[in-house]
Amino acid sequence: GQNIDQPTEMTATEGAIVQINCTYQTSGFNGLFWYQQHAGEAPTFLSYNVLDGLEEKGRFSSFLSRSKGYSYLLLKELQMKDSASYLCAVFDSNYQLIWGAGTKLIIKP
Amino acid sequence: GAVVSQHPSWVICKSGTSVKIECRSLDFQATTMFWYRQFPKQSLMLMATSNEGSKATYEQGVEKDKFLINHASLTLSTLTVTSAHPEDSSFYICSARDVGSSYNEQFFGPGTRLTVL
């Protein structure tokens, strides 16, 4: 079956750095997305990786290793507004999006 | 970026009534739209994939006669929850695939919160 694993919840301190991991086993791979979802709102796009390596976008970076079925989202200089759920999703061979359950990130002052 | 709208944003209805939710892609054409449901503190659950001009493809366990999907144009898909019951209360989110984007990205609507009394 297809499966995406990410931690349920993480806590970090304002101004610090946090890394949210995602591992996947899917039938084929056509890219991995990270989305941010604030409570009561729809997800918003953060990043897309299809090749191995690190993609940096401001305070957020996303890493992919296809051979390991592994990705992480790195958030730097954490701000209170970064408190949200972070969803990992993978395009399988049919471009069907397979979703992880999300990681709830709690930022403390 | 591409914009997807949903209407209504929230709706409260009585048990047994039907509710229609609209999903529109405002500045791009979407041959494929997706309908998700999300219960509190849970992840997105794909309900169905809607292709313009053809029947929707429903995920296992989703009743197609209860959740009617119509994708009549390249910018509009509708989800009708028929004979709604309290257990249908949820956050319904649509997304649209922009085939013109570099990686078939899905853009999400703001969601519709349905409460069935």
Side-chain angles (χ1 to χ4, degrees):
Chain A
Q2 310 210 84
N3 193 49
I4 295 185
D5 289 314
Q6 46 181 135
T8 304
E9 187 174 297
M10 299 182 70
T11 303
T13 305
E14 189 177 16
I17 299 173
V18 70
Q19 177 174 310
I20 303 174
N21 296 324
C22 170
T23 58
Y24 62 90
Q25 300 95 37
T26 57
S27 56
F29 178 84
N30 279 303
L32 184 145
F33 292 87
W34 283 97
Y35 284 86
Q36 180 191 59
Q37 185 178 25
H38 285 100
E41 299 180 11
T44 55
F45 170 81
L46 288 178
S47 67
Y48 172 76
N49 294 67
V50 66
L51 300 177
D52 290 349
L54 186 68
E55 296 274 347
E56 297 188 71
K57 190 184 295 185
R59 293 189 299 115
F60 292 6
S61 303
S62 57
F63 171 84
L64 174 67
S65 168
R66 288 172 296 171
S67 62
K68 296 181 179 178
Y70 168 70
S71 172
Y72 67 73
L73 180 69
L74 190 71
L75 292 76
K76 304 176 183 176
E77 301 170 17
L78 286 170
Q79 302 175 9
M80 297 303 292
K81 67 178 182 179
D82 297 330
S83 292
S85 287
Y86 291 84
L87 308 174
C88 174
V90 171
F91 263 155
D92 69 7
S93 56
N94 296 318
Y95 285 93
Q96 179 93 331
L97 254 187
I98 311 301
W99 291 90
T103 299
K104 182 179 181 180
L105 178 62
I106 301 169
I107 310 296
K108 295 185 176 180
Chain B
V3 179
V4 176
S5 70
Q6 266 183 257
H7 178 80
S9 300
W10 57 270
V11 57
I12 301 173
C13 68
K14 292 182 179 180
S15 184
T17 60
S18 294
V19 175
K20 179 186 282 189
I21 303 170
E22 292 185 349
C23 177
R24 293 182 185 271
S25 56
L26 298 186
D27 51 2
F28 67 99
Q29 293 184 330
T31 53
T32 305
M33 289 184 172
F34 304 87
W35 286 97
Y36 293 88
R37 180 167 53 181
Q38 187 175 36
F39 294 105
K41 299 183 179 181
Q42 294 186 22
S43 185
L44 297 171
M45 290 173 46
L46 179 64
M47 299 175 67
T49 301
S50 166
N51 293 295
E52 186 265 338
S54 64
K55 291 183 179 180
T57 302
Y58 290 82
E59 295 300 303
Q60 191 173 7
V62 178
E63 300 174 57
K64 62 180 181 181
D65 294 330
K66 180 171 181 63
F67 298 99
L68 301 178
I69 292 173
N70 187 317
H71 191 162
S73 78
L74 287 172
T75 58
L76 173 65
S77 176
T78 60
L79 168 68
T80 302
V81 183
T82 62
S83 187
H85 291 283
E87 57 265 31
D88 298 323
S89 298
S90 187
F91 192 43
Y92 291 86
I93 307 172
C94 75
S95 70
R97 177 177 290 166
D98 182 4
V99 295
S101 72
S102 56
Y103 37 78
N104 290 314
E105 181 183 343
Q106 286 187 30
F107 295 91
F108 286 87
T112 298
R113 188 160 301 283
L114 171 64
T115 301
V116 184
L117 302 176

